[in-house]
Amino acid sequence: MVNINPLRLNMPLLRTLRVYLKLKLKIPPPIFVAWDITYKCNLNCFFCDRQTLYRDNVNKDLELSKAKMVLDNLADADVMTVGITGGEPLLRNDLEELAKYAKDKGLIVTLSTNGTLITRSRAQRLVNSFHSISVSLDGLSDTHDIVRGKKGAYDKAIQGLKHLTTNPRACAIGVNFVLNKLNFQELRKVFDTVKNIGVDYFFIQPVIGSSSWVIPKDTINRSIKQILEMKSNYRRHISQSYYFINHISDYITGTVPKLCDAGQLYFAINNEGKLFLCPGLPRTKETYIGSLLQHSMTDLLKSKKLKRIKDAIVPKCPPCLMNCTTEFSLLAKSPLKTILSKYGSFRL
């Protein structure tokens, strides 16, 4: 288990403290920005429609110099965390260079990957480039392969996790588990498998945007009880809040309370360096705020366009329950020790 004293965090610690102070002064900078670094992918997950929605963008990934300009922009706006996602980010050969550049700018930089492209040599580069790396694992072998749309995806993801966890590590390694009707009965076995491999955290995300894939309603209470027992027994591994876990059932039944700070605490960027309102919303003209290659993020945060988009979309947007939105809204309301505890699990 990676466990580092938060007082050793240097630049990221200073950024975290500044963000916390601004939160208390009611002038919060973004806590999290999800960056779709590419829309290219080597898998075909049932719940992902990005290659369809953004098919016109697939070949428009930013070159390295322009991607660094985006990171400069985020750092200047005092963003705390940039989460690199996709598509499959490892399809970019310059990924590690981008991550190191972000770290040098004082950003906390995380990676979400399907894990299938992690070789032994690349694992060593990755753990030295990121603060945390999350590998998606959505069931045992057969189930995961069905969910991810490719035979052998499970074996490659497990091998990737082993490569990451057996390296001398400079980051936390975790697993993202998308809870759905195919895998809810395998949750504990998957958790035990990756815990024995040596992962540091395990996130459970109810499937979103696909009502036909939610777990059966008559199994919800049993599933939540199991997750709460895991949280009680393995608090360091199940690092999600009790609020999040307790509201999984409400989310599935459509009664979850709305907790939204889109356009304030969290944003999204597409592969062209364009800023959008929220990680949980499609990157469309309705949610588009501006290009980070043409405008400073600081100016975009103060723009009338952002306010107009927020006023038009946020009140009508249904409540969500996502690790990259809800948990950051909760974090903003937490005491400083909670924030330091969360980021203290990273080797920063």
Side-chain angles (χ1 to χ4, degrees):
M1 174 66 64
V2 177
N3 186 13
I4 292 296
N5 186 333
L7 296 179
R8 297 173 57 187
L9 302 192
N10 297 325
M11 289 175 65
L13 173 61
L14 295 177
R15 186 177 297 276
T16 303
L17 292 174
R18 286 201 305 272
V19 168
Y20 180 78
L21 179 60
K22 289 182 178 181
L23 287 171
K24 294 306 174 185
L25 293 174
K26 308 299 182 183
I27 48 172
I31 294 180
F32 179 78
V33 174
W35 188 3
D36 310 334
I37 199 75
T38 183
Y39 289 119
K40 298 182 178 75
C41 191
N42 61 322
L43 298 183
N44 186 29
C45 307
F46 79 82
F47 51 78
C48 179
D49 55 3
R50 290 190 171 191
Q51 285 190 303
T52 301
L53 284 176
Y54 312 129
R55 57 182 176 272
D56 294 337
N57 290 64
V58 169
N59 295 315
K60 295 181 179 180
D61 296 349
L62 293 179
E63 60 186 49
L64 181 62
S65 60
K66 291 184 178 179
K68 288 182 177 180
M69 289 173 59
V70 171
L71 291 171
D72 290 339
N73 217 333
L74 298 183
D76 290 344
D78 221 14
V79 171
M80 186 162 75
T81 303
V82 56
I84 294 181
T85 182
E88 175 44 54
L90 268 69
L91 289 172
R92 283 195 65 132
N93 294 326
D94 58 5
L95 180 63
E96 292 87 344
E97 184 173 352
L98 274 174
K100 288 180 179 179
Y101 187 82
K103 287 175 72 173
D104 289 343
K105 302 294 291 187
L107 292 160
I108 296 169
V109 56
T110 69
L111 171 67
S112 296
T113 171
N114 63 44
T116 61
L117 302 177
I118 301 174
T119 60
R120 188 181 304 276
S121 60
R122 192 157 197 193
Q124 188 173 15
R125 300 196 301 272
L126 289 169
V127 298
N128 288 315
S129 302
F130 287 88
H131 292 119
S132 77
I133 299 172
S134 299
V135 173
S136 296
L137 203 64
D138 297 319
L140 299 175
S141 181
D142 291 343
T143 302
H144 180 82
D145 288 357
I146 291 172
V147 171
R148 294 285 158 175
K150 190 170 184 178
K151 187 70 175 175
Y154 176 86
D155 291 338
K156 290 181 179 179
I158 289 292
Q159 188 61 60
L161 277 171
K162 290 179 178 178
H163 287 324
L164 292 171
T165 56
T166 55
N167 265 284
R169 286 196 272 142
C171 72
I173 307 300
V175 162
N176 285 331
F177 183 94
V178 178
L179 187 71
N180 62 73
K181 69 178 183 180
L182 286 185
N183 66 15
F184 71 97
Q185 296 184 63
E186 300 176 358
L187 170 62
R188 183 54 193 263
K189 288 184 178 179
V190 173
F191 173 73
D192 289 341
T193 297
V194 298
K195 180 170 64 68
N196 290 334
I197 288 174
V199 304
D200 303 299
Y201 61 89
F202 188 87
F203 284 159
I204 302 162
Q205 172 67 55
V207 65
I208 60 173
S210 183
S211 58
S212 62
W213 282 87
V214 299
I215 65 175
K217 292 188 176 181
D218 61 353
T219 68
I220 292 175
N221 290 338
R222 185 166 71 251
S223 295
I224 301 306
K225 181 180 179 180
Q226 181 184 52
I227 296 171
L228 289 171
E229 288 175 352
M230 291 164 61
K231 170 76 171 176
S232 177
N233 294 327
Y234 303 99
R235 187 180 298 268
R236 290 286 299 176
H237 286 86
I238 311 295
S239 56
Q240 289 164 295
S241 65
Y242 279 105
Y243 177 101
F244 189 98
I245 295 171
N246 282 316
H247 281 298
I248 290 176
S249 58
D250 296 327
Y251 176 74
I252 293 172
T253 58
T255 59
V256 66
K258 187 167 183 174
L259 187 62
C260 180
D261 292 289
Q264 183 174 30
L265 296 183
Y266 30 83
F267 294 83
I269 305 172
N270 75 351
N271 64 327
E272 295 181 278
K274 295 178 178 179
L275 187 69
F276 295 84
L277 184 66
C278 177
L281 293 174
R283 292 29 160 174
T284 63
K285 62 180 182 180
E286 289 77 19
T287 62
Y288 172 59
I289 300 166
S291 171
L292 292 174
L293 298 179
Q294 299 174 2
H295 307 280
S296 77
M297 184 155 184
T298 301
D299 288 342
L300 291 176
L301 292 176
K302 299 175 182 177
S303 67
K304 292 181 180 178
K305 184 176 183 180
L306 172 58
K307 185 179 186 306
R308 185 169 66 251
I309 292 171
K310 283 173 59 179
D311 290 346
I313 293 178
V314 171
K316 300 176 183 178
C317 194
C320 68
L321 190 72
M322 298 176 63
N323 287 311
C324 60
T325 58
T326 311
E327 286 283 44
F328 284 104
S329 288
L330 290 169
L331 194 65
K333 298 172 174 60
S334 301
L336 178 59
K337 65 179 182 180
T338 301
I339 298 177
L340 291 178
S341 175
K342 177 179 177 64
Y343 289 99
S345 64
F346 298 165
R347 249 183 230 263
L348 302 178

